[in-house]
Amino acid sequence: MEYVIETQGLSKSFGSLQAVREVSLRVEPGETYGLLGPNGSGKTTLMRMLVGLVRPTRGTGGVLGEEIPPDRVLSRIGYMTQAGALYQELTVGENVAFFGALSGVTSKERIQEVIALVGLEDRAKSTVGTLSGGLKQRASLACALVHNPQLLILDEPTVGVDPQLRSIFWDHFRKLNQQGVTILVSSHVMDEAARCTRLGLMREGSLLAEGSPGELKSQAGTGDLEGAFLKIAGGSHA
Ligand SMILES: Nc1ncnc2c1ncn2[C@@H]1O[C@H](COP(=O)(O)OP(=O)(O)O)[C@@H](O)[C@H]1O
Ligand SMILES: [Mg+2]
């Protein structure tokens, strides 16, 4: 497979609002591709089209060799959404077991392993609704990882997560990446962007520029990514 994700002119309108405009994106195996852009720039909508939750208005796309909606390869994708998609009245362990079962993973060892991976061993029996925001994010990540996906789509995975845990998450993403997992991650945090192998800058639904963090900085002639983003996006951001 040449590209894990490939889109051509992918667009989505909600009424007269163009949430995603003509996005042509290619993500190669083994990349950590960061979608960077202010709130409302279309990152979530783009990701939702890639996993088949939103139907494109125009354009085409393929994920893991399957045209979107990628129904037949969903079990090879881990999708972590922004708003907690977990069952609040179930425990951490029950949530992870449920999401695992959706992809045919029923091994108790794997479920325990992935709970340990996100450091929630001692909260496995806690009801998700009783957890703090950061702990919920960890539980969400466990659910996205339980079936050993080949492609991880992470929608602002560290929102509401303290800096220390954020760093733990990113160390973990890097480890998965080194094991061959391809990652598409959205963020509006610049220090996270620096940890991606390649970045796509989005604004008002359009993909404005792409490149490695180093390439974007030299393209903009700035010393830091924040400056590069402001220059390329042409002014206001966030
Ligand atoms: N289901 C929807 N109905 C109408 N408008 C939507 C819907 N989903 C997203 N939008 C709008 O599309 C634009 C892009 O949103 P979104 O993809 O969530 O951006 P981001 O994730 O970058 O913050 C925003 O203006 C948002 O209000
Ligand atoms: Mg979003």
Side-chain angles (χ1 to χ4, degrees):
M1 188 195 328
E2 205 176 349
Y3 299 108
V4 176
I5 297 172
E6 183 171 19
T7 72
Q8 272 299 329
L10 203 60
S11 305
K12 177 68 188 181
S13 298
F14 297 105
S16 61
L17 179 92
Q18 285 188 280
V20 174
R21 304 174 192 228
E22 303 282 330
V23 168
S24 297
L25 181 74
R26 285 174 169 173
V27 179
E28 290 176 23
E31 285 196 291
T32 297
Y33 188 105
L35 278 178
L36 207 60
N39 280 329
S41 56
K43 305 180 298 294
T44 295
T45 305
L46 178 57
M47 288 179 158
R48 289 171 69 88
M49 287 194 279
L50 294 176
V51 297
L53 288 171
V54 166
R55 203 152 59 127
T57 314
R58 275 191 316 283
T60 56
V63 175
L64 294 170
E66 166 111 355
E67 216 172 289
I68 57 174
D71 295 340
R72 271 178 299 185
V73 292
L74 279 182
S75 63
R76 288 153 59 199
I77 302 173
Y79 175 47
M80 184 175 168
T81 59
Q82 242 172 316
L86 304 186
Y87 293 96
Q88 302 295 310
E89 70 279 15
L90 298 185
T91 66
V92 170
E94 287 165 343
N95 268 285
V96 177
F98 175 78
F99 283 97
L102 287 182
S103 300
V105 174
T106 52
S107 148
K108 285 208 169 68
E109 290 73 42
R110 175 60 189 159
I111 290 158
Q112 277 166 6
E113 183 183 62
V114 79
I115 290 173
L117 210 67
V118 298
L120 282 181
E121 297 101 314
D122 53 347
R123 303 306 297 270
K125 292 195 163 69
S126 301
T127 306
V128 164
T130 66
L131 300 179
S132 69
L135 295 183
K136 278 185 189 167
Q137 289 288 89
R138 289 201 221 184
S140 263
L141 182 60
C143 291
L145 293 178
V146 61
H147 57 300
N148 282 311
Q150 219 177 321
L151 168 63
L152 266 181
I153 296 183
L154 307 168
D155 196 358
E156 302 206 29
T158 61
V159 163
V161 166
D162 63 67
Q164 194 193 349
L165 180 59
R166 191 194 291 172
S167 167
I168 292 171
F169 269 31
W170 275 90
D171 288 344
H172 190 65
F173 298 157
R174 183 169 51 200
K175 215 179 294 166
L176 289 168
N177 194 227
Q178 283 163 351
Q179 291 164 10
V181 177
T182 304
I183 300 176
L184 177 69
V185 56
S186 66
S187 176
H188 57 242
V189 183
M190 294 297 157
D191 68 341
E192 295 191 340
R195 301 185 69 158
C196 296
T197 56
R198 209 148 59 91
L199 294 169
L201 302 188
M202 289 193 70
R203 192 180 177 209
E204 292 172 6
S206 300
L207 191 60
L208 293 181
E210 275 187 306
S212 68
E215 283 166 356
L216 288 174
K217 282 186 278 188
S218 61
Q219 189 185 325
T222 56
D224 62 281
L225 269 176
E226 181 114 40
F229 187 88
L230 287 171
K231 205 153 174 190
I232 293 165
S236 69
H237 116 266

